């Protein structure tokens, strides 16, 4: 309870209305405003419940999106990447997904990643959007290749950052980066458990609006199974008491990891940027001039340099070439 003059009942009510459809935000509201304990509504999400929300987008980027970010997961024989769009109150849209097969220890698969990340995506208004931030998982067996890739792109303004999961629970998803590595690249250590809590709580939101996850109709059953591949259980740990721990229900969970990484990419842009998403979404919704479609993210030019860390073919035509026509898979 707040003493008179600190916070009004009207403010409390307004905060509740903003939080009531997002279980993660509602939990914070119950704890901090009501001063009551939170009762969990569920520890897992069924893949079938997400299948009902698949929708057809009128364009690659629907109205409502204010920024595009990308996330990359590094596996032993491939890279997997998603492009996500975020709008007001972190409502999100899955825009593209790809699997780039090849040994991440070799250069070719990283050239393919450049082509994927260098694309322009067409908004429903006709404007062209580029990816604003990209994060790449560096916690696997190819840490060196990830650092080299990110380091080579920072001078060109590509804003590609390595991330890895931390071991301390109960922290914010994203904290200040560290540059204590060989390449002096900003490394963001994520509290993955916090990210999964946010993602799973938003999967429970049933109607478009704050926090809602939009999924396009080209998503298949395997992607949905990966997105819901873990559940939270409560276990007793000596010295800590009852804790929540995420466990896999199946071996593959790349889609869930990518969802968490994409959220981290959004937060790297900063709180002020996230608050500006409604205005950015409104600006992108304005029809593009018929004479020339502007690049909505002019500050993120397509790569046109020769990578000194990952030597490629002479010249730079390979980085400007478009992906093969068809679905972005």
């Amino acid at each position: 309870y707040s003493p008179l003059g600190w916070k009004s009942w009207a403010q409390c009510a307004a905060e509740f209305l903003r939080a009531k459809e997002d279980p993660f935000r509602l939990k914070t509201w119950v704890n901090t405003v009501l001063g009551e304990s939170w009762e969990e509504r569920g520890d897992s999400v069924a893949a079938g419940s997400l299948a009902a929300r698949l929708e057809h987008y009128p364009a690659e980027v629907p109205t409502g999106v204010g920024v595009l970010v990308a996330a990359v997961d590094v596996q032993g024989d491939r890279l997997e990447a998603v492009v996500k769009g975020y709008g007001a109150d972190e409502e999100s849209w899955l825009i593209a997904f790809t699997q780039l097969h090849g040994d991440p220890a070799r250069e070719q698969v990283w050239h393919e990643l450049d082509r994927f990340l260098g694309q322009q995506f067409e908004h429903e208004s006709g404007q062209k959007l580029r990816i604003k931030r990209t994060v790449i998982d560096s916690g696997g067996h190819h840490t060196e290749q990830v650092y080299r890739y990110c380091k080579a792109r920072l001078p060109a303004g590509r804003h590609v950052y390595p991330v890895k999961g931390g071991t301390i629970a109960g922290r914010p998803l994203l904290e200040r980066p560290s540059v204590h590595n060989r390449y002096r690249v900003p490394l963001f250590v994520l509290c993955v458990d916090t990210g999964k809590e946010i993602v799973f709580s938003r999967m429970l939101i049933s109607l478009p609006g704050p926090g809602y996850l939009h999924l396009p109709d080209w998503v298949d059953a395997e992607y949905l199974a990966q997105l819901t591949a873990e559940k939270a259980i409560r276990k007793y740990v000596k010295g800590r008491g009852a804790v929540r721990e995420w466990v896999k229900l199946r071996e593959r969970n790349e889609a869930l990891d990518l969802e968490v990484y994409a959220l981290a990419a959004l937060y790297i842009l900063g709180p002020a940027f996230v608050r500006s998403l409604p205005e950015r979404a409104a600006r992108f919704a304005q029809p593009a001039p018929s004479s020339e479609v502007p690049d909505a993210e002019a500050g993120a030019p397509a790569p046109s340099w020769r990578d000194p860390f990952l030597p490629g073919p002479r010249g730079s035509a390979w980085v400007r070439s478009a992906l093969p026509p068809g679905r972005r898979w």
Side-chain angles (χ1 to χ4, degrees):
Y1 295 99
S2 292
L4 184 64
W6 283 26
K7 177 182 282 189
S8 69
W9 288 109
Q11 286 177 288
C12 295
E15 290 177 10
F16 169 75
L17 292 174
R18 288 194 296 268
K20 68 186 182 77
E21 294 297 334
D22 186 339
F24 185 79
R25 292 183 177 181
L26 183 60
K27 176 180 178 179
T28 301
W29 185 85
V30 169
N31 291 159
T32 61
V33 178
L34 294 186
E36 298 176 355
S37 60
W38 171 259
E39 181 179 353
E40 298 290 345
R41 287 198 272 178
D43 294 324
S44 64
V45 177
S49 66
L50 296 182
R53 71 171 62 190
L54 300 186
E55 59 185 283
H56 176 73
Y57 294 172
E60 283 187 303
V61 182
T63 296
V65 172
V67 70
L68 296 183
V69 298
V72 183
D73 188 30
V74 181
Q75 298 291 319
D77 61 349
R78 68 191 184 280
L79 304 178
E80 299 206 4
V82 296
V83 177
K84 288 273 296 184
Y86 287 90
D89 295 311
E90 298 181 26
E91 185 174 5
S92 68
W93 290 259
L94 176 62
I95 303 299
F97 167 75
T98 191
Q99 293 178 324
L100 305 172
H101 293 275
D103 184 357
R106 299 181 178 275
E107 63 191 49
Q108 183 56 44
V109 71
W110 296 100
H111 294 321
E112 293 179 17
L113 179 62
D114 257 337
R115 287 195 289 270
F116 179 74
L117 298 178
Q119 300 174 82
Q120 295 184 31
F121 295 84
E122 186 169 355
H123 192 279
E124 190 175 344
S125 67
Q127 295 198 49
K128 304 289 186 179
L129 277 67
R130 293 191 186 278
I131 295 166
K132 190 78 169 174
R133 289 290 185 276
T134 299
V135 299
I136 306 179
D137 172 32
S138 65
H141 299 296
H142 300 285
T143 302
E144 187 79 2
Q145 286 75 16
V146 173
Y147 281 162
R148 291 167 63 189
Y149 182 88
C150 295
K151 176 69 172 182
R153 280 141 190 84
L154 286 180
R158 290 290 301 279
H159 299 292
V160 182
Y161 299 102
V163 296
K164 73 173 184 178
T167 58
I168 301 177
R171 306 291 296 176
L173 170 60
L174 188 74
E175 294 186 324
R176 290 182 180 275
S178 166
V179 292
H180 300 300
N181 55 74
R182 176 182 173 186
Y183 294 102
R184 307 294 291 175
V185 176
L187 169 68
F188 291 87
V189 178
L190 310 181
C191 183
V192 178
D193 285 358
T194 297
K196 290 175 181 177
E197 292 279 3
I198 296 173
V199 170
F200 269 80
S201 70
R202 293 178 179 181
M203 289 184 198
L204 298 175
I205 301 174
S206 58
L207 297 174
Y212 184 81
L213 272 67
H214 293 265
L215 295 170
D217 55 9
W218 45 258
V219 166
D220 64 7
E222 172 63 21
Y223 192 92
L224 296 179
Q226 290 184 24
L227 200 56
T228 56
E230 298 189 23
K231 71 174 181 179
I233 63 171
R234 293 192 177 275
K235 60 182 295 186
Y236 180 82
V237 177
K238 186 176 181 180
R240 295 174 59 194
V243 299
R244 279 169 66 88
E245 182 177 279
W246 291 90
V247 297
K248 287 185 177 181
L249 301 175
R250 67 199 305 272
E251 183 59 29
R252 293 192 58 184
N253 67 338
E254 294 87 17
L256 175 58
D257 287 342
L258 287 168
E259 193 73 32
V260 173
Y261 299 157
L263 189 61
L266 174 68
Y267 289 172
I268 286 174
L269 289 164
F273 186 96
V274 174
R275 289 194 296 269
S276 75
L277 287 175
E279 292 76 20
R280 290 175 59 85
R283 187 169 74 249
F284 293 153
Q286 298 300 313
S290 57
S291 58
E292 182 180 356
V293 177
D295 177 8
E297 296 292 356
S304 59
W305 66 93
R306 186 176 181 185
D307 183 352
F309 293 92
L310 298 171
R314 293 190 179 276
S316 59
W318 65 274
V319 286
R320 293 194 300 267
S321 61
L323 286 177
R327 183 175 295 169
R328 299 180 188 272
W329 280 80

